[in-house]
């Protein structure tokens, strides 16, 4: 069986949707199922550092010639269909919530992973025109899809509520997996190299994710101010105008443009992990942090309890005092810290690689 997958985010996005796609594809390859041939369709080659993370066993496919940006957009949403037919693709998987228009008419089965519907739940975080475009794409994709993968029960409920109850029998909840490099030991030489490169403090709490209003990093910044002076906050992610709302402090370190190769070391040297987001579809950085051996503090209100499990600490997204107390309980030496780490690591076994890939492969077949 020839399976096509939308690889735009795989070759362009360092985190988030890109990580999801690369991890899933690699896990599918590692399963060693010779009956599946994987073809990755991307509008261009993207970033070589990301493309090279795909292990041997899949073929990249691009539009012919040297298309303009507008042509690349058209190809991904329409033109790729002729390439899929030419290549004998039987199943096409939209990894980032989209399927090409007209796919159903060709007889090629369409599977789509929907990560979140934040643009409908919280349109205040988006430009109004973007919300209209995303909402149209969402409904068009539901029409094209033979099956829908929701990455959390929260996302499944959002699809049914905002898309329609008629899709209930077409939805499977299949959680995201995480790269095995986060649970691997990081050598001391590598740690020191990364510490010096970013001038990291000796003790820090880590946060990973786009620094934007929805991610609510201000809560963590204000809470850190209530912790011992030697404890800092290191936030890794693309920066938006939201950074202007954050306090200027020597204890707050904002890192952007961090290559994917450095993330495991950043996790390994942290003392705890904080994810104060107001709303998520899942929250893969929580799982990465737990895999790296960190206690996690997250916020209530969406699906983060699904990602972190019962041993993670959760606080309301506007409660600075509770956030500070939860972070104190996560610092080295705190009572119950090691037990919570062990229980969390047991919990995230359900998200490990080939278990997730196996569920996805079953849908292909």
């Amino acid at each position: 069986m020839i399976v096509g997958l939308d690889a735009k985010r795989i070759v362009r996005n360092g985190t988030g949707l890109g990580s999801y796609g690369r991890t899933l594809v690699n896990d599918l390859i590692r399963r060693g199922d010779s009956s599946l041939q994987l073809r990755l369709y991307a509008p261009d080659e993207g970033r070589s550092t990301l493309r090279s993370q795909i292990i041997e066993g899949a073929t990249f496919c691009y539009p012919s010639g040297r298309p303009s940006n507008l042509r690349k957009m058209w190809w991904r949403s329409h033109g790729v269909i002729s390439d899929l037919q030419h290549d004998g693709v039987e199943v096409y998987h939209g990894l980032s919530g989209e399927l090409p228009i007209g796919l159903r008419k060709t007889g090629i089965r369409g599977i789509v992973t929907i990560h979140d519907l934040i643009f409908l739940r919280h349109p205040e975080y988006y430009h109004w025109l973007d919300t209209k475009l995303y909402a149209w794409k969402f409904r068009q994709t539901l029409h094209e899809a033979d099956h829908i993968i929701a990455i959390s029960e929260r996302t499944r409920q959002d699809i049914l509520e905002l898309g329609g109850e008629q899709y209930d029998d077409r939805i499977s909840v299949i959680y995201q997996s995480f790269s095995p490099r986060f649970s691997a030991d990081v050598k001391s030489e590598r740690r020191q190299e990364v510490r010096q490169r970013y001038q990291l403090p000796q003790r820090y709490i880590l946060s990973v994710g786009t620094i934007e209003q929805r991610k609510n990093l201000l809560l963590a910044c204000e809470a850190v101010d209530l912790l011992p002076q030697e404890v800092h906050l290191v936030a890794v992610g693309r920066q938006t105008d939201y950074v202007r709302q954050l306090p200027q402090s020597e204890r707050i370190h904002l890192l952007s443009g961090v290559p994917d190769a450095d993330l495991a070391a950043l996790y390994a040297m942290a003392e705890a992990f904080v994810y104060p987001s107001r709303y998520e579809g899942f929250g893969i950085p929580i799982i990465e942090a737990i895999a790296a051996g960190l206690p996690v503090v997250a916020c209530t209100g969406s699906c983060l309890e699904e990602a972190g499990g019962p041993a993670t600490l959760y606080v309301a997204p506007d409660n600075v005092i509770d956030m500070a107390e939860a972070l104190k309980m996560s610092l080295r030496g705190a009572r119950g810290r090691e037990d919570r780490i062990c229980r969390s690591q047991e919990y995230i076994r359900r998200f490990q690689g080939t278990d997730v890939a196996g569920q996805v492969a079953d849908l292909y077949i």
Side-chain angles (χ1 to χ4, degrees):
M1 173 177 286
I2 300 176
V3 178
L5 300 100
D6 177 11
K8 176 185 175 181
R9 305 296 181 181
I10 285 176
V11 301
R12 291 190 183 181
N13 290 43
T15 58
L17 298 178
S19 293
Y20 169 78
R22 289 187 295 275
T23 301
L24 177 59
V25 169
N26 285 339
D27 288 341
L28 286 168
I29 295 170
R30 290 188 183 103
R31 290 183 72 246
D33 187 346
S34 59
S35 68
L36 292 183
Q37 297 181 41
L38 305 182
R39 300 179 69 87
L40 310 181
Y41 292 84
D44 52 45
E45 293 185 342
R47 294 158 54 184
S48 61
T49 54
L50 300 179
R51 194 174 62 253
S52 64
Q53 291 178 28
I54 299 298
I55 62 179
E56 185 176 354
T59 302
F60 279 98
C61 308
Y62 311 104
S64 59
R66 302 180 64 181
S68 64
N69 288 335
L70 187 61
R71 179 76 177 177
K72 291 176 185 177
M73 292 173 59
W74 179 88
W75 178 83
R76 183 169 178 252
S77 61
H78 295 80
V80 68
I81 288 179
S82 61
D83 290 346
L84 300 178
Q85 292 176 302
H86 176 270
D87 296 341
V89 170
E90 300 169 66
V91 179
Y92 186 72
H93 187 172
L95 295 174
S96 54
E98 296 182 45
L99 288 172
I101 297 170
L103 183 68
R104 178 176 284 273
K105 294 179 181 178
T106 67
I108 298 172
R109 286 194 294 122
I111 295 175
V112 64
T113 297
I114 295 181
H115 297 260
D116 62 67
L117 295 179
I118 300 171
F119 54 89
L120 293 176
R121 265 303 165 209
H122 290 282
E124 66 272 18
Y125 296 135
Y126 297 83
H127 188 283
W128 69 270
L129 186 58
D130 288 337
T131 62
K132 298 294 184 183
L133 176 61
Y134 297 156
W136 179 84
K137 285 185 176 182
F138 166 60
R139 292 184 172 87
Q140 182 66 38
T141 293
L142 292 182
H143 171 74
E144 299 289 352
D146 291 281
H147 205 84
I148 301 160
I149 296 173
I151 64 166
S152 67
E153 183 59 36
R154 176 68 270 164
T155 295
R156 176 182 174 277
Q157 291 299 325
D158 283 351
I159 294 170
L160 294 176
E161 181 178 338
L162 301 171
E165 293 286 341
Q166 68 269 29
Y167 298 105
D168 190 14
D169 61 352
R170 281 201 258 161
I171 302 175
S172 296
V173 176
I174 301 179
Y175 290 110
Q176 290 182 258
S177 185
F178 60 93
S179 172
R181 74 182 187 280
F182 293 108
S183 54
D185 183 53
V186 180
K187 295 181 179 179
S188 59
E189 297 85 354
R190 176 63 174 152
R191 296 187 188 204
Q192 282 305 112
E193 176 189 341
V194 172
R195 186 182 295 279
Q196 292 176 7
R197 178 178 303 152
Y198 300 108
Q199 296 296 293
L200 298 174
Q202 286 300 312
R203 300 184 66 189
Y204 66 87
I205 295 166
L206 181 66
S207 183
V208 174
T210 304
I211 302 174
E212 59 182 340
Q213 184 178 1
R214 175 173 58 87
K215 299 290 188 179
N216 196 30
L217 187 65
L218 179 60
L219 178 69
C221 292
E222 293 176 340
V224 164
D225 196 44
L226 303 177
L227 301 183
Q229 284 294 314
E230 67 272 18
V231 178
H232 293 226
L233 174 67
V234 174
V236 178
R238 180 176 61 84
Q239 298 180 17
T240 68
D241 290 342
Y242 176 71
V243 298
R244 299 172 185 171
Q245 300 180 34
L246 305 180
Q248 299 294 314
S249 170
E250 294 181 352
R251 297 172 63 193
I252 298 172
H253 308 258
L254 305 181
L255 307 180
S256 60
V258 174
D260 189 71
D262 290 347
L263 276 179
L266 286 164
Y267 278 111
M269 293 184 290
E271 195 158 332
F273 187 82
V274 61
Y275 203 67
S277 181
R278 293 181 180 276
Y279 205 89
E280 293 291 329
F282 186 55
I284 194 68
I286 289 178
I287 299 175
E288 294 171 349
I290 293 172
L294 297 178
V296 172
V297 179
C299 282
T300 57
S302 58
C303 66
L304 299 184
E305 292 92 339
E306 286 187 69
T312 286
L313 300 179
Y314 304 95
V315 301
D318 292 304
N319 196 319
V320 176
I321 300 300
D322 282 359
M323 173 58 78
E325 287 301 313
L327 291 175
K328 287 179 183 177
M329 294 170 61
S330 303
L331 298 178
R332 292 192 183 100
R335 180 185 299 178
R337 177 182 184 271
E338 301 306 316
D339 176 64
R340 289 197 303 276
I341 291 173
C342 290
R343 289 191 288 130
S344 293
Q345 290 185 322
E346 179 67 25
Y347 176 81
I348 66 168
R349 287 186 179 180
R350 68 194 64 195
F351 307 130
Q352 285 180 331
T354 52
D355 292 338
V356 173
Q359 294 176 66
V360 174
D362 287 343
L363 293 181
Y364 294 162
I365 300 168

